Every structure is written in C-alpha cells, then in structure tokens.
Amino acid sequence: MSATKGRILVVEDEREMRALLEKGLARRGFIPTVRGRADEAFPLLETEDFDTVLTDLRMPGMDGLALCERIVLNRPDIPVVVLTAFGTLETAVAAIRAGAYDFVTKPVDVDALVLVLERAVQHRALREEVRRLRQALGDASADGGWVGESPALRRVYELIERVADSDTSVLITGESGTGKEVAARALHARSRRHAGPFVAINCAAMPEQLLESELFGHARGAFTDAKAARTGLFIKANGGTLFLDEVGEMPLSLQPKLLRALQERTVRPVGGDSELPFDARIVAATNRDLELAVEEGRFREDLYYRLNVIGLELPPLRARGNDVLLLAQRFVEHFAGRSGKRVLGLSPAAAQRLLTYTWPGNVRELQNCIERAVALTSYEQLTVEDLPERIRDYRGSNRAQADDVSELVSLEEMERRYIQRVLEAVGGSRTLASRILGVDRKTIYRKLGRRNAGPEDKDDKA
C-alpha cells in the first residue's frame, strides 16, 4: 500500500461542498475526516492526530475564525488552512493573523487546494522534526562533540568503537570541514590511552624545517637560533595519541623520516646523535586522495600503507540527512548562549532550506551559516531571511528548466555535471564513480578540473 499524504480534518457546513472535498482529497492520497460544524470538529483534535485542518470561515455556531484561534491556542502544532469566498478576504486575512497557515478562495480548485495542503503537511512535519531533533540533542553522543544519528554517521561510530582500543594506525579521510579532528579525538577518548595527551599538528601549516623540528625535536645548536634543546611532539605524545592533520601536505623529503619513526618507534631529533623511543598511537587525516598522490609520486607508497592500516572515511554533510538540522540546532544554542540572545531554533521554512542545500563546505560551512544567522535575527526562530543568500536562493541541479536558453550548457559542462551527480550519489567515492562511469580516477579528476580543487576534491572510500 502506498503511503498517504496525510490526515486532513475538513470542517464545512455545506453538504455538497463536504462531499466534493472528501471525494477529491481521498482520490489524491489524503485521508479526510469531515464534520459539518466547528464544535463537532474541535473535540476530535483532543483524541486523534491530524496533519492539517481545512475549515470554512462562514459557519453557524462557532465560525472558522473562532475555530482557528482555538486550534492555535490548544494545538499549535497543527496548521490550519481556511476556505473563504472572494467577498470575505478581509476575514481570511484576520484568520492568517490569528495563526492560520494559509487560505484558499472559493470556488475551490481541488488541485490548487492539494498543493496548499501538501505544503501545510510538510510544514508540520518539518516543525515536528525540528522539535524532535532539539530533544535528541540531550541524548547525542558527547564524545569529542559528535552530533548526529544518520546511518552514515552511525557507521563511523561503530568503526570507532571497534578500533578505539587498538594501537593500530588510523587514516581518517573526508572532505574539508567534515570533522576529521573530532573523529581523532573520539578515537582517543574511547581508547585505553584516554588519560594520556592528545597532541595535534597541522602538517600543512608550517615550512619543512619547522615541521621537522616540531615533530622530532632538535638538539641545542642544531640550527641558527636553536639555543636550547626541544622535545618533539612524538615524545610529548607518549602514552597518548599523536594526530597528524593534513598529512597529505607533508613535504616528500620529510616522508622517509616519518616512515622510519613509524617503523622503528623511535625518533632522532634534528642535530641529535641518538634515537629516542616513543609510545604514541598515530592517527593521521587528509582531505586529499593519497592513492592518486602515490600514483603521481607526491606521496610515498610505503608510508601510505603504514598510515592506512585502518581507514576511517567521514561522510559529507549532504549524505547525512537530518543531521543537518540536529547540528544546526546545536549551533543555534551555542551561538545564542554566547551572544546572550533568545533564539530557540529554526523556523520550518529555514529548516527546509538547510535540508535542500548541498553544503560543499560541510559542517564548518553550516557552523558559519548559523553563527551569522543568530547574529542577524530579530526573532526567537531563525527565518529564511536570516540565512546567507546562496542558501536562500539555492534551487538544486534537478530544478533547471530545460526550455530556458540561459540554462543550456556545452557538452563538456554537461559531462562535468553528470560526473558530479554520480559522485554525490556514491558519497564522493571516486573509486565507485569510476566503476559506474567506466573511466579511471585520473580521468574523473581531469574532467572536473583539478585547478578548482576544494569542496569537489573528494577522497575515495577505503
């Protein structure tokens, strides 16, 4: 049996109109319950659950406006759509001000009414989802700031649980902004080394000589300004975890020394004459395709396999479904608390925009978006107007109008877009995409345009 579009409580005093609405809505996938008077309909809301109420305004006894006010007061979660004749538009506006979701004029075009009701049902579903996700924050994992309950993220949780107590090296991959350091900290927090230090270094943030000194330490007089000996991070991480972020950016000339340290579990400080043992688990991360880097000679193959004993790939935000709303609510609470503003969450319309957008910058972009929105908003809920323009106006690639000449593109651009669509469908894995498309990964890189590497520069699944 196909899923219904929702339960609709119809309140209409005219018998023929009731029959028309009941039959028309039922044929279009709704489950209508009809009543001829408002005082007969309202008690049903106390015992049954409806997705939307559709009510006429002019009725004997309690009119539609009074019914709308009572529903908004007692069941604010249920949107109300009112029916009105052209001569009573002023009353319809009064109903909107009283909290009605929308109104439809008579004579009724059932197809147009269905569109309004579908939007109302979706509005309620989004509002309920936002409320549920707000409540779920209390049960969200506290390990290193993880927030999410999507199947894609649950697979990450499960793998972390399985490998946390091992001392095996882990390579965390994923697009920029997906939370690779958060994953590394979660591994550390759940390991038997959790009482030891968590030492992190960004391998792309410093020149080669300084990076070597930071990692391995140096002896006094090893180079200019080395007036005292320095302990390297391998030694400082003893008993804990050493996190090598952006390891794919490590200079090729420094990679043999890193490989030797991992193999021998000892390090030689710059300018030193003895090897120092260390006891630290190595966790590395990159947003680059290290297999391609190996093929192109930019990364040592033996070092790659030494780091990638266990591969942990983080899903992009667009593959995490309603985690977007859960994360957004967490950020709303954080930034509202920090700024002292009373902002409770998202409006359903704003939530819909967040779910539609593809988030090329992942969690980091979402965090920036919510921080900006909280700073700008004048309400207790973030509205669509509080969101950045790129998110407000985002339509999605499937909405392009084929008959609009301005939307027509070259074959090369169409090919690039199709490759991108396949990549999105397989969660960014170029290995899977290459199998589907029947080309190698280098061709995919070339077609997408490597000079624009960034959010599109996806890693392959392990």
Side-chain angles (χ1 to χ4, degrees):
M1 176 181 281
S2 60
T4 65
K5 293 182 178 181
R7 294 194 64 197
I8 311 295
L9 176 58
V10 179
V11 190
E12 168 61 59
D13 62 316
E14 296 181 8
R15 181 179 301 176
E16 291 183 0
M17 179 61 71
R18 278 203 310 272
L20 172 68
L21 292 173
E22 182 176 20
K23 182 178 180 180
L25 295 179
R27 289 179 61 184
R28 289 163 176 82
F30 294 97
I31 302 177
T33 298
V34 298
R35 291 293 184 271
R37 295 173 58 92
D39 53 10
E40 296 174 352
F42 185 77
L44 292 178
L45 298 175
E46 298 178 354
T47 58
E48 299 184 41
D49 189 39
F50 294 94
D51 295 294
T52 303
V53 173
L54 174 65
T55 179
D56 192 11
L57 278 182
R58 296 294 183 89
M59 295 183 294
M62 183 194 303
D63 64 12
L65 182 59
L67 176 62
C68 179
E69 290 173 343
R70 290 190 65 179
I71 293 174
V72 170
L73 182 63
N74 294 278
R75 290 296 305 271
D77 58 307
I78 300 180
V80 179
V81 176
V82 298
L83 291 170
T84 179
F86 284 110
T88 57
L89 282 177
E90 189 173 319
T91 309
V93 172
I96 296 295
R97 290 174 178 169
Y101 173 76
D102 205 346
F103 68 87
V104 176
T105 58
K106 294 181 177 180
V108 176
D109 180 332
V110 178
D111 289 329
L113 174 62
V114 165
L115 293 176
V116 173
L117 293 176
E118 287 176 344
R119 289 198 301 267
V121 171
Q122 184 182 48
H123 175 86
R124 189 198 184 207
L126 278 170
R127 188 157 56 184
E128 288 299 307
E129 182 66 9
V130 169
R131 182 181 294 112
R132 185 190 69 79
L133 292 174
R134 285 187 65 191
Q135 294 172 348
L137 280 174
D139 301 323
S141 172
D143 292 334
W146 282 111
V147 175
E149 55 184 25
S150 64
L153 200 59
R154 287 193 181 279
R155 288 192 288 271
V156 173
Y157 292 154
E158 291 169 2
L159 184 56
I160 287 176
E161 289 281 356
R162 288 164 55 193
V163 305
D165 268 341
S166 170
D167 279 339
T168 304
S169 298
V170 177
L171 178 63
I172 304 172
T173 58
E175 296 177 15
S176 179
T178 50
K180 292 185 284 294
E181 183 168 346
V182 174
R185 290 184 180 275
L187 274 168
H188 175 73
R190 289 188 171 275
S191 73
R192 58 174 176 264
R193 295 175 174 269
H194 65 273
F198 178 88
V199 179
I201 184 171
N202 188 322
C203 298
M206 56 189 67
E208 178 179 346
Q209 185 177 15
L210 183 56
L211 177 61
E212 182 180 18
S213 175
E214 285 290 312
L215 283 173
F216 303 103
H218 62 252
R220 180 181 178 182
F223 50 82
T224 305
D225 295 330
K227 298 178 180 179
R230 180 184 180 87
T231 301
L233 297 185
F234 275 96
I235 303 300
K236 289 183 178 180
N238 270 333
T241 301
L242 176 60
F243 177 52
L244 305 176
D245 197 10
E246 304 293 353
V247 72
E249 309 300 325
M250 177 171 285
L252 189 60
S253 58
L254 194 54
Q255 293 177 25
K257 189 168 185 177
L258 174 59
L259 176 63
R260 177 175 174 79
L262 298 180
Q263 290 175 332
E264 304 298 329
R265 309 298 293 180
T266 62
V267 294
R268 181 190 294 271
V270 178
D273 54 8
S274 61
E275 300 279 344
L276 303 177
F278 70 90
D279 175 29
R281 184 184 196 175
I282 306 302
V283 178
T286 182
N287 64 355
R288 298 297 182 186
D289 183 344
L290 289 190
E291 288 187 10
L292 183 66
V294 168
E295 292 175 8
E296 295 178 347
R298 295 181 287 107
F299 201 85
R300 290 181 61 106
E301 184 176 22
D302 44 8
L303 177 58
Y304 169 70
Y305 288 115
R306 178 64 64 176
L307 292 171
N308 191 31
V309 178
I310 295 175
L312 177 63
E313 183 177 13
L314 301 188
L317 187 54
R318 62 183 170 276
R320 292 175 53 182
N322 285 343
D323 283 358
V324 172
L325 301 185
L326 191 61
L327 282 161
Q329 183 62 39
R330 168 64 63 85
F331 292 143
V332 167
E333 295 178 1
H334 171 75
F335 292 118
R338 196 170 73 176
S339 63
K341 297 182 70 172
R342 180 175 170 78
V343 185
L344 302 180
L346 305 162
S347 70
Q352 180 63 61
R353 289 295 198 282
L354 297 187
L355 288 173
T356 301
Y357 188 61
T358 56
W359 301 107
N362 292 294
V363 178
R364 191 177 295 123
E365 183 183 9
L366 175 62
Q367 181 177 6
N368 175 271
C369 165
I370 299 300
E371 182 177 11
R372 173 190 183 277
V374 169
L376 292 176
T377 192
S378 301
Y379 307 101
E380 291 187 349
Q381 287 188 325
L382 299 184
T383 68
V384 172
E385 293 304 312
D386 297 321
L387 303 177
E389 184 177 358
R390 68 182 183 281
I391 297 173
R392 292 199 309 265
D393 298 341
Y394 182 79
R395 295 184 302 161
S397 59
N398 62 327
R399 298 189 182 181
Q401 299 297 317
D403 56 351
D404 184 349
V405 175
S406 66
E407 295 287 346
L408 300 179
V409 297
S410 66
L411 285 174
E412 181 181 5
E413 175 63 15
M414 183 178 294
E415 183 180 51
R416 191 194 71 80
R417 291 184 185 182
Y418 180 68
I419 292 173
Q420 188 63 50
R421 183 177 176 185
V422 172
L423 281 168
E424 290 176 0
V426 298
S429 171
R430 286 192 166 86
T431 299
L432 290 177
S434 66
R435 294 173 187 168
I436 294 171
L437 295 168
V439 298
D440 58 30
R441 291 181 303 122
K442 287 185 178 181
T443 301
I444 293 176
Y445 272 74
R446 179 172 55 80
K447 296 287 187 182
L448 289 178
R450 295 296 295 153
R451 63 182 179 278
N452 294 322
E456 294 183 346
D457 187 16
K458 301 176 179 66
D459 301 313
D460 284 326
K461 293 189 175 182

